């Protein structure tokens, strides 16, 4: 079978992780185990296996960054105050000695929050937002592309070990909007995608990180409840529905089979490990 994307063509030798939360840490450890030289920009010092540049990207970087061939940006939007992206991305572009051959900016399917509906949205659909944070993400995408030539990854709701918010909600019996449309991606498959974006010769310019089954939230929590042996959580009153349906065809064409193709596979494994 031919490989139109040239997967495994590039071998990321020196990788800079901009942001080092749970996602960045998992990706960094995976790349490090495969022989890459990995450096992370983070606000706090660290004594772990990943080399650290301690910096607060809300302010200009004080010294030039090392030469790297790949950059992965996993900065979440600011929860308060002005957006972090203009300062962080311009500062990053100025501090890099040369433009890396591959830059990946991790955004979110939240850029479609202003386009609820049953029609599956693809990478060809234009973002539309209804909140300040959603607007910040769109701005971040645009700046990352303009300044760094970044490719954009838009994950849906990330879940996996340590990301058990819905399981806890079901256990607590907290009301849930059963009618809301939702899309998910297991953290393991998202990390696999980010690595593939670094290794592919011609990675997609924009890709949605969503599994194979967009679903109503009520179906997800009812499944979790059955596995936990508890009653499904009550319906939110009133239920407002909404939410989007994201088409994951490009992801599956690019990455191949997911390790967790639906929420059932992922949550069943998480609950079995409790």
């Amino acid at each position: 079978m031919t490989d139109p994307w040239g997967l495994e063509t590039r071998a990321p030798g020196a990788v800079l992780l901009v942001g080092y939360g749970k996602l960045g840490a998992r990706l960094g450890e995976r790349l490090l185990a495969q022989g890459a030289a990995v450096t992370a920009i983070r606000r706090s010092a660290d004594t772990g296996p990943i080399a650290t540049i301690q910096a607060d990207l809300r302010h200009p970087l004080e010294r030039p960054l090392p030469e790297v061939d790949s950059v992965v940006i996993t900065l979440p939007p600011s929860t308060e105050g002005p957006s972090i992206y203009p300062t962080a991305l311009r500062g990053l572009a100025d501090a890099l000695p040369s433009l890396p051959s591959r830059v990946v900016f991790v955004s979110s399917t939240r850029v479609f929050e202003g386009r609820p509906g049953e029609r599956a949205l693809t990478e060809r659909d234009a973002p539309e937002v209804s909140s300040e944070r959603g607007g910040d993400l769109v701005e971040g995408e645009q700046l990352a592309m303009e300044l760094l030539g970044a490719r954009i990854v838009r994950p849906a709701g990330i879940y996996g070990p340590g990301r058990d918010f819905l399981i806890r909600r079901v256990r607590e019996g907290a009301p849930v909007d059963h009618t809301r449309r939702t899309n998910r991606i297991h953290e393991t498959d998202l990390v696999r995608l980010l690595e593939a974006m670094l290794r592919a010769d011609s990675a997609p310019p924009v890709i949605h990180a969503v599994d194979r089954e967009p679903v109503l939230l009520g179906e997800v929590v009812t499944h979790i409840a059955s596995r936990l042996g508890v009653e499904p959580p009550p319906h939110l009153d009133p239920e407002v529905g909404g939410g989007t349906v994201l088409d994951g065809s490009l992801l599956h064409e690019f990455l191949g089979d997911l390790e967790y193709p639906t929420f059932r596979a992922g949550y069943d494994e998480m609950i079995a490990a409790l």
Side-chain angles (χ1 to χ4, degrees):
M1 181 182 293
T2 60
D3 174 14
W5 305 104
L7 294 175
E8 299 301 326
T9 299
R10 299 179 76 254
V15 183
L16 179 66
L17 304 176
V18 182
Y20 195 69
K22 194 168 185 294
L23 184 60
R26 280 202 63 183
L27 175 63
E29 290 165 4
R30 184 180 177 108
L31 293 172
L32 195 68
Q34 295 170 7
V38 184
T39 303
I41 298 178
R42 55 186 304 179
R43 291 172 63 183
S44 59
D46 184 66
T47 57
I50 305 294
T52 297
I53 296 171
Q54 189 173 355
D56 185 342
L57 291 172
R58 294 173 298 181
H59 308 286
L61 289 161
E62 296 179 355
R63 57 182 63 90
L65 293 169
E67 189 83 39
V68 295
D69 55 61
S70 303
V71 174
V72 181
I73 303 166
T74 58
L75 295 174
S78 305
T79 56
E80 56 185 35
S83 170
I84 190 176
Y85 296 125
T87 300
L89 295 177
R90 290 191 178 105
L92 181 64
D94 290 343
L96 285 165
S98 63
L99 187 64
S101 60
R102 181 60 48 83
V103 178
V104 178
F105 178 84
V106 180
S107 179
S108 167
T109 55
R110 187 170 186 164
V111 298
F112 293 110
E113 65 187 1
R115 301 189 64 169
E118 296 180 359
R119 182 178 75 82
L121 301 173
T122 74
E123 289 81 359
R124 294 183 297 274
D125 287 293
E128 185 174 326
V129 299
S130 57
S131 71
E132 186 175 358
R133 290 187 74 189
D136 289 348
L137 283 164
V138 172
E139 178 186 43
E141 289 186 0
Q142 293 170 343
L143 283 171
M145 289 187 286
E146 292 169 7
L147 297 170
L148 300 162
R151 287 164 164 78
I152 308 300
V153 173
R154 294 172 177 157
I158 307 171
Y159 74 106
R163 297 181 184 268
D164 56 355
F165 172 76
L166 264 189
I167 293 176
R168 288 185 282 111
R169 294 281 290 179
V170 171
R171 276 181 155 173
E172 294 163 1
V176 171
D177 189 339
H178 286 238
T179 64
R180 184 169 183 79
R181 290 177 286 272
T182 182
N183 306 265
R184 309 200 160 265
I185 187 73
H186 195 283
E187 184 182 74
T188 295
D189 286 315
L190 179 54
V191 171
R192 289 179 58 225
L193 170 60
L194 294 178
E195 182 187 356
M197 292 290 286
L198 297 182
R199 293 188 175 278
D201 180 50
S202 57
V206 180
I207 191 166
H208 295 164
V210 294
D211 69 19
R212 290 188 176 275
E213 191 172 350
V215 69
L216 294 180
L217 186 56
E219 189 170 342
V220 181
V221 296
T222 298
H223 178 83
I224 291 172
S226 71
R227 292 296 186 267
L228 291 173
V230 301
E231 290 295 316
H235 290 245
L236 194 67
D237 184 20
E239 292 189 308
V240 297
T244 53
V245 175
L246 279 300
D247 186 315
S249 299
L250 180 59
L251 170 69
H252 307 131
E253 176 188 330
F254 177 65
L255 193 61
D257 292 337
L258 299 181
E259 290 190 25
Y260 300 90
T262 76
F263 70 90
R264 295 176 187 84
Y267 280 114
D268 286 0
E269 181 178 276
M270 290 171 66
I271 292 168
L274 293 176

